[in-house]
Amino acid sequence: MRPFPLSGFLYEFRRALLSVPLIVLTVLIVLASFGVLATFAVNRTPPSTFLESSNLFYFAKGEYHFESYVYDTYGNPAPGVVFNFTVFKANTTGGPPGGPVANATGRTAANGLVDVPVALAESNYSVQYSAVGPNNQSVGCGGQFFSSATSITSPPPGEIRPFGCGSLSSVLSGTGYQASTLLQVFFLGPNGTAPPNYQVYWAGPFNISPSPAPLPESSMHLLGGLSVPHQTYALSVPSMGRDPPVGIPQIVQVELFTTGGQRVAMDANQSAGNFVRTPTNSEGVSVAFVFVGSIMAFLVPLMAVLAAYSVYGRDRLTGVLEGVLARPVSRLGLAVSRYLAVIAALCLAVAGAAAVLDALVAWVLGGFLPFTVMLLLFSALLVEIGAFTGLVFLLAHALRSSAGLVATAIGLWAFFAIGWFVLVPLLGVLSGAVFSPGYERTVVQLEFFNPVQFLSLVQALLLGSVSVIGPTTPLAPSDYGITYASVVGDGLVWVLAPLAALVHVVRHRD
Amino acid sequence: MLTIRGLRKVFRGKALPAVTDLDLDVRPGEIVGLVGLNGAGKTTTIRAAAGLCTPTSGTVTVFGLDLTRQKAEASRHIGWVPEVPNFEPGSRALAQLRYYAGFYDLSGPAARERCSALLQQVGLPGVERIRLRTFSQGMRKRFSLAASLLGDPEILLFDEILSGLDPEGVALVRNLMLELRGQNRGILLSSHILSEVQQVADRVAIVHQGRLVKTLTREEVANAGGLTLRVTVANLDEAGVGILRGFGEVRREANTVWISNPIKESSEINAELVRRNYTVVALGYEPRNLEQLFFDAIRAPEAAGP
């Protein structure tokens, strides 16, 4: 004889999981989670004033051409940016450059492009240049301001080369969400023509040292073709886990090939971290507590109340349970199997909702929520689930009508989830103690006595501070008695006390 | 065998016990009727025998297994049909039966086959996919009967199983009970329909005010089909009743006495009363049945007084 009715457990698990209230509330939580999209959407107005540029040059027909593309952080072209070039004769001995041999000026067009031709004989030079936006904005390059002299070594006629701190590729912020990034490639075909459908490949991440060597196409990933001077690509470097990568800086390598497989250019200057989509810890904790804390902590106890009522309370009070108890099963076995079935179903529903939230966060912020944060939050919700499930099971043995049970159970949830937050401040106001240090301490410590607020205790531990309203400076959680030991103990009491009482009642009463 | 010894059940908040000092056996291959007025303790007795309510004192054992301490093992030998069956309203018939079947280690195709066969046996073919909330009272009874037979139990507890059934259902259940008895199963049948109990029961336990007041033997039940002589005497006194006792077992109500299975003809009894100066107002035979035995039994303690 099996002590635990496994088939009954599975049946009740399925029944709890498919109960209408559980489905409705889970869907509600999932829908609420979509609020993440609004919270982390990038606000594009006003646009960033910071401008960046990518720079190329080539020699053709007795002229050097300095081609630049200026854009904002979203990749929008920046017209009206004035470039000033001063070309010096290069000092081949490595000393300072000689006197200036040419000056030239250009202004970016509506498409953000500028071509500044300088008539010079083919040779090696140093170039000093500056760029100023129409509203005197600084123009950076890869995040650096520049106006220093840059040596240029004359390439074969018609061949395109980067210059300055500009490189083949650059990083743009995605226009959708805060953490999304795009790779922008700016390059030209021979003699400044449109790129003849170069193939853009990437590989990585690699350690920044030693300097990466050129790679064949076969060992890289194709990003797409390049038929216009500048093009953006969605580049996603595999996450190195839920926690942000640390240690040796890593880069991604970008190369351009002709359709015939001949390498045209290579760039290994972009940090891989730009493309590893991982939310910061603060973002993760913020999402976790805003959405999990405020929505799940509020609704999960109600889910527990309704699921426990559906699976046990109603059956017990309408006589349905007796039809099961007449089977080869002990009273305790039946009660515990149903209790565990409800807990398991709720855990799965909450995990499903959390998975949707995590997937949304990964989509929006570029990476999953910190694992430890999710684990602690799930544990906190498990305490709520255990406490309310146990209480409803227990009430089913104390009350005599299903209507009375559902009213009492929902009333219990309403008291802890809503009434508590009205009653406690009200008592503070009535007693005249509100905002006093003693009142704050009492309010915080009362969280130990409310299962809905158990998550607040966990939050205090995770964030290392307690948020209180009042004139005093927030103290560390331990100053309020919130320690790992006290929180774990409180959670165990909330789960085990109703369960122990239930076991006692089931064993000693009809 | 189901053995009830010294069963006493006092519900919380109630001063009087629902059942007290009740001893009863149900052996394999017999049908024991359990009859009594409303509130007599029939349902409490059956619920205790089904392991649904814990005795305040006394024991209920099934083949030596204590239903309080070895509930799961003992329940394997018992099938129970309640007076008012309740099921998950949203569940479908087959799904609910298969859920119950899981407790008997029946699963998969074997469970499906067994459940469908039982539904067929109780006259509910083709209801497998129908939700239980749509079942009539009679269908619920039949469904509950099927559920009680899932584990092939040796002891069946039927609490008012006939109420709510149409004549066809009554006949089906009656025949099924006789068939089960033939398969050496024991049945404890609680019913208000005494004529039905009389038709099938081998023994009848009569409970009144929570006590077992009489157990009619197989012979007594079998003889319950005899005649009763009803005699109304204008000047009846204790001496007159004593005279009538000489003709058989008597029951008196005011000036009327019923003589069960009288040993003399009515004319001889009349002559004897007249000879003793009693004025006989009415004299006639009535068919004797379980109902009379029942009332005889429950009135005897009342007549005896506290």
Side-chain angles (χ1 to χ4, degrees):
Chain A
M1 180 64 60
R2 287 193 307 254
F4 183 77
L6 183 63
S7 65
F9 165 80
L10 293 173
Y11 178 89
E12 295 304 336
F13 169 72
R14 185 169 157 271
R15 189 175 160 215
L17 201 59
L18 297 178
S19 66
V20 173
L22 197 63
I23 291 172
V24 168
L25 288 172
T26 306
V27 168
L28 203 61
I29 290 174
V30 167
L31 291 176
S33 299
F34 278 84
V36 168
L37 301 181
T39 301
F40 289 96
V42 170
N43 184 356
R44 295 196 62 198
T45 51
S48 169
T49 56
F50 188 78
L51 300 175
E52 295 187 60
S53 67
S54 293
N55 309 300
L56 303 169
F57 78 98
Y58 61 94
F59 179 78
K61 297 177 182 173
E63 287 183 329
Y64 280 93
H65 289 262
F66 296 97
E67 292 260 0
S68 291
Y69 174 55
V70 186
Y71 47 91
D72 65 17
T73 50
Y74 301 117
N76 299 312
V81 176
V82 175
F83 277 80
N84 285 303
F85 289 87
T86 305
V87 183
F88 302 87
K89 186 70 178 174
N91 187 334
T92 53
T93 61
V101 293
N103 281 302
T105 298
R107 183 187 297 267
T108 57
N111 61 5
L113 291 168
V114 61
D115 174 16
V116 182
V118 181
L120 283 169
E122 185 178 8
S123 182
N124 295 333
Y125 299 96
S126 285
V127 179
Q128 192 172 48
Y129 61 100
S130 64
V132 179
N135 298 314
N136 289 325
Q137 305 108 302
S138 298
V139 178
C141 170
Q144 299 169 9
F145 295 96
F146 66 94
S147 60
S148 59
T150 302
S151 294
I152 57 172
T153 302
S154 186
E159 189 174 310
I160 307 297
R161 293 278 176 86
F163 80 91
C165 65
S167 58
L168 165 68
S169 62
S170 53
V171 181
L172 301 177
S173 293
T175 54
Y177 295 102
Q178 194 163 311
S180 68
T181 50
L182 296 168
L183 180 82
Q184 178 178 265
V185 172
F186 171 57
F187 212 73
L188 297 168
N191 297 309
T193 57
N197 194 26
Y198 289 140
Q199 300 297 292
V200 183
Y201 282 82
W202 80 278
F206 302 118
N207 288 341
I208 197 166
S209 178
S211 296
L215 293 168
E217 287 169 291
S218 57
S219 57
M220 303 182 83
H221 313 288
L222 179 65
L223 278 172
L226 182 71
S227 303
V228 292
H230 56 89
Q231 177 76 45
T232 57
Y233 306 91
L235 170 57
S236 180
V237 173
S239 172
M240 290 163 246
R242 281 175 178 265
D243 297 315
V246 292
I248 302 168
Q250 296 195 307
I251 52 146
V252 291
Q253 187 164 325
V254 180
E255 295 183 22
L256 260 61
F257 293 89
T258 63
T259 50
Q262 186 183 355
R263 183 178 297 102
V264 178
M266 170 188 157
D267 175 14
N269 293 313
Q270 300 304 338
S271 166
N274 287 328
F275 304 101
V276 177
R277 305 191 68 201
T278 303
T280 63
N281 272 327
S282 62
E283 284 170 341
V285 171
S286 165
V287 169
F289 284 110
V290 166
F291 289 95
V292 180
S294 61
I295 298 168
M296 284 193 178
F298 180 73
L299 289 177
V300 164
L302 185 59
M303 289 165 75
V305 161
L306 296 176
Y309 170 75
S310 298
V311 168
Y312 191 79
R314 183 175 54 195
D315 281 6
R316 180 175 154 69
L317 292 168
T318 56
V320 172
L321 206 60
E322 289 193 334
V324 185
L325 192 59
R327 315 287 147 199
V329 59
S330 68
R331 293 166 181 280
L332 190 59
L334 182 61
V336 169
S337 70
R338 291 205 173 198
Y339 174 85
L340 293 178
V342 171
I343 299 281
L346 286 165
C347 283
L348 189 63
V350 169
V356 172
L357 176 66
D358 211 12
L360 280 174
V361 168
W363 181 38
V364 170
L365 293 180
F368 294 105
L369 291 165
F371 184 70
T372 47
V373 171
M374 289 301 283
L375 192 65
L376 281 169
L377 287 175
F378 194 77
S379 305
L381 291 173
L382 188 60
V383 167
E384 289 191 9
I385 289 169
F388 279 91
T389 302
L391 286 170
V392 174
F393 271 56
L394 199 55
L395 282 171
H397 286 265
L399 299 171
R400 291 177 181 273
S401 77
S402 54
L405 173 62
V406 75
T408 307
I410 290 179
L412 197 68
W413 165 77
F415 170 74
F416 280 122
I418 302 167
W420 187 277
F421 302 97
V422 176
L423 195 64
V424 170
L426 188 65
L427 288 175
V429 170
L430 291 177
S431 65
V434 70
F435 297 143
S436 71
Y439 171 76
E440 292 163 13
R441 179 170 295 275
T442 305
V443 167
V444 172
Q445 290 178 340
L446 277 175
E447 291 177 354
F448 282 102
F449 298 92
N450 184 349
V452 173
Q453 284 194 295
F454 185 76
L455 200 69
S456 301
L457 299 174
V458 174
Q459 183 177 357
L461 283 178
L462 272 174
L463 300 178
S465 66
V466 177
S467 299
V468 291
I469 302 168
T472 58
T473 307
L475 298 175
S478 58
D479 294 324
Y480 293 92
I482 302 173
T483 62
Y484 276 99
S486 65
V487 171
V488 168
D490 189 50
L492 287 175
V493 167
W494 274 117
V495 174
L496 295 181
L499 184 60
L502 175 70
V503 168
H504 175 80
V505 166
V506 166
R507 293 184 69 169
H508 295 94
R509 288 195 199 171
D510 290 335
Chain B
M1 186 170 82
L2 173 70
T3 307
I4 301 173
R5 290 290 175 269
L7 177 65
R8 178 180 170 83
K9 179 65 186 178
V10 184
F11 288 105
R12 295 171 72 83
K14 301 279 183 183
L16 293 172
V19 173
T20 187
D21 298 332
L22 191 139
D23 294 341
L24 187 66
D25 292 333
V26 180
R27 303 180 190 91
E30 74 168 352
I31 298 174
V32 177
L34 185 65
V35 298
L37 301 176
N38 287 334
K42 301 186 300 295
T43 295
T44 302
T45 303
I46 284 193
R47 285 168 54 80
L52 300 173
C53 73
T54 314
T56 307
S57 63
T59 58
V60 181
T61 59
V62 189
F63 297 102
L65 297 166
D66 189 301
L67 259 167
T68 304
R69 287 176 295 158
Q70 298 162 285
K71 162 78 181 61
E73 293 89 339
S75 291
R76 192 167 276 274
H77 302 280
I78 286 181
W80 171 64
V81 176
E83 182 176 3
V84 183
N86 280 304
F87 311 103
E88 289 168 40
S91 180
R92 297 177 197 276
L94 185 63
Q96 186 78 51
L97 270 189
R98 291 186 69 179
Y99 165 55
Y100 292 151
F103 291 97
Y104 302 96
D105 299 326
L106 282 170
S107 60
R112 175 185 289 272
E113 200 172 301
R114 172 94 176 123
C115 295
S116 292
L118 284 171
L119 287 173
Q120 183 87 28
Q121 188 178 357
V122 299
L124 290 175
V127 301
E128 284 85 349
R129 299 280 302 155
I130 296 177
R131 291 193 191 279
L132 293 167
R133 73 162 70 95
T134 64
F135 275 23
S136 67
Q137 179 66 12
M139 290 171 80
R140 283 165 172 268
K141 275 281 168 65
R142 289 173 187 235
F143 182 81
S144 187
L145 179 60
S148 75
L149 296 171
L150 261 172
D152 244 351
E154 293 92 337
I155 301 293
L156 288 147
L157 308 169
F158 293 159
D159 191 1
E160 299 293 350
I161 191 171
L162 301 171
S163 69
L165 288 176
D166 56 22
E168 185 194 14
V170 170
L172 183 141
V173 172
R174 185 198 307 132
N175 293 334
L176 184 61
M177 283 193 288
L178 295 172
E179 186 184 325
L180 291 168
R181 181 175 65 180
Q183 295 168 359
N184 208 34
R185 299 177 204 283
I187 297 172
L188 181 59
L189 171 67
S190 149
S191 179
H192 283 118
I193 308 172
L194 298 182
S195 58
E196 285 294 340
V197 174
Q198 189 176 349
Q199 282 190 53
V200 296
D202 300 300
R203 291 188 295 133
V204 175
I206 299 171
V207 289
H208 186 56
Q209 295 177 343
R211 291 177 184 276
L212 179 65
V213 293
K214 186 164 188 174
T215 304
L216 300 175
T217 62
R218 192 182 301 269
E219 292 71 28
E220 288 172 308
V221 175
N223 293 334
L227 291 174
T228 300
L229 183 66
R230 178 178 173 169
V231 186
T232 304
V233 181
N235 53 343
L236 185 66
D237 55 13
E238 280 305 315
V241 175
I243 293 165
L244 293 172
R245 280 205 182 94
F247 298 105
E249 192 177 334
V250 302
R251 176 166 66 86
R252 178 186 178 184
E253 268 185 34
N255 285 350
T256 301
V257 171
W258 286 266
I259 308 169
S260 303
N261 295 323
I263 58 174
K264 298 282 187 184
E265 289 298 318
S266 60
S267 57
E268 292 178 60
I269 295 169
N270 184 38
E272 181 63 21
L273 287 170
V274 170
R275 192 173 65 80
R276 304 273 184 114
N277 294 321
Y278 286 101
T279 306
V280 178
V281 178
L283 185 73
Y285 283 105
E286 287 181 352
R288 175 177 162 79
N289 55 23
L290 183 60
E291 188 174 301
Q292 280 177 306
L293 292 175
F294 170 73
F295 283 114
D296 289 351
I298 66 169
R299 280 167 186 154
E302 289 171 356

